[in-house]
């Protein structure tokens, strides 16, 4: 199989240049003047991916200036990284973006590129939008994608993988039993209400119903811990088998997940 990462592209999309502005392009060129490190990191991540999925074709990765649009875009065998979305939390341009709240700006830095790419590729390759019909299904479906990120980026800290500050990650670790108890007592795990699912899965400054110092996406974080425990208890299960398993209730049952 040809490793398409040898054709890693580094270019700016001319169609977005005027929208981005010369200043943004110049700053992006300065911040990413040497992409050797990023290229090596991406190749290493997809080397891990190829180890688990040797028959899958690898994507070609392009980088460009998007005019502050989507951070990572994917298509068949293609990943596009919008470099102007990773200029650093203190980038002055981000303070001027009325459509970008501060809780999103905290993840607009170079160290988030790898996990964003791995997660986005996981969605493209493995997520079945029709398979998860309730909150539990969505939690474990996203938890499987986070476990794929684990496999591709074993040396990356959890805080960068999920996009939490160290304080937010510690909050989840300290309050894991309370969050799980709340979801059970409020009978939320099997809700099919879209807005109830979104409040635990989608990015937000905090999780509605939890204390204000909670981070968003706590449902994703819990689903990640369920999948981690499931795989720890079942070392015979391969990563491809996990990604193909959409029996979310059985994954929960077989994980023995019960934080204390």
């Amino acid at each position: 199989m040809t490793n398409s990462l040898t054709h890693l592209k580094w270019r700016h999309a001319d169609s977005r240049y005027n929208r981005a502005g010369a200043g943004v392009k110049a700053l992006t060129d300065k911040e990413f003047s040497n992409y050797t490190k990023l290229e090596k990191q991406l190749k290493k991540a997809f080397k891990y991916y190829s180890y688990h999925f040797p028959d899958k074709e690898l994507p070609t990765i392009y980088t460009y200036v998007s005019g502050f649009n989507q951070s990572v875009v994917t298509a068949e065998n293609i990943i596009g990284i919008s470099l102007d979305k990773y200029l650093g939390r203190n980038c002055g341009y981000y303070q001027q973006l009325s459509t970008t709240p501060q809780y999103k700006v905290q993840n607009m830095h170079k160290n988030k590129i790898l996990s964003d790419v791995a997660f986005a590729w996981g969605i493209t390759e493995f997520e079945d939008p029709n398979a998860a019909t309730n909150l539990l299904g969505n939690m474990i479906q996203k938890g499987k994608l986070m476990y794929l990120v684990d496999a591709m980026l074993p040396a990356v800290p959890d805080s960068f993988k999920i996009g939490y500050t160290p304080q937010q990650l510690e909050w989840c670790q300290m309050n894991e039993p309370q969050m799980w108890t709340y979801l059970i007592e409020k009978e939320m795990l099997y809700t099919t209400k879209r807005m109830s699912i979104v409040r635990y899965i989608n990015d937000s400054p905090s999780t509605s119903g939890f204390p204000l110092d909670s981070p968003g996406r706590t449902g994703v974080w819990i689903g990640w811990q369920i999948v981690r425990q499931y795989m720890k208890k079942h070392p015979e299960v391969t990563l491809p088998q996990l990604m193909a398993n959409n029996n979310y209730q059985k994954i929960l049952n077989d994980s023995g997940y019960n934080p204390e």
Side-chain angles (χ1 to χ4, degrees), residues 127-253:
E127 186 172 70
D128 181 354
N130 300 315
T133 58
N134 55 29
L135 176 60
L136 175 65
N138 277 271
M139 289 167 59
I140 295 182
Q141 185 178 75
K142 294 296 188 293
K144 292 198 304 176
L145 294 176
M146 290 302 302
Y147 193 84
L148 174 67
V149 175
D150 280 338
M152 292 178 66
L153 304 170
V156 171
D158 284 359
S159 57
F160 289 153
K161 289 176 184 175
I162 197 166
Y164 286 170
T165 65
Q167 294 76 21
Q168 289 174 326
L169 183 64
E170 183 180 7
W171 189 94
C172 286
Q173 293 167 340
M174 295 293 294
N175 291 278
E176 185 177 1
Q178 292 88 335
M179 288 193 291
W180 184 242
T181 298
Y182 177 92
L183 294 176
I184 293 174
E185 291 182 348
K186 297 296 183 180
E187 299 181 346
M188 295 301 299
L189 290 179
Y190 302 104
T191 182
T192 58
K193 295 180 180 179
R194 179 60 186 164
M195 292 310 298
S196 295
I197 293 173
V198 163
R199 65 190 277 199
Y200 297 103
I201 298 298
N202 284 19
D203 201 10
S204 58
S206 61
T207 298
S208 177
F210 289 169
L212 287 177
D213 52 347
S214 67
R217 302 178 72 220
T218 50
V220 176
W221 188 84
I222 294 173
W224 188 15
Q225 309 318 305
I226 292 172
V227 173
R228 279 177 162 177
Q229 186 158 323
Y230 170 78
M231 294 299 283
K232 184 177 181 179
K233 289 192 68 174
H234 298 278
E236 75 282 1
V237 176
T238 66
L239 186 57
Q241 288 172 338
L242 171 69
M243 301 311 293
N245 185 357
N246 290 331
N247 191 336
Y248 306 122
Q249 183 64 57
K250 191 172 191 306
I251 290 176
L252 172 63
N253 294 343

Side-chain angles (χ1 to χ4, degrees), residues 7-23:
H7 304 296
L8 185 69
K9 306 293 183 181
W10 186 265
R11 69 184 187 185
H12 301 296
D14 294 337
S15 61
R16 299 292 176 85
Y17 174 80
N18 290 332
R19 293 173 62 185

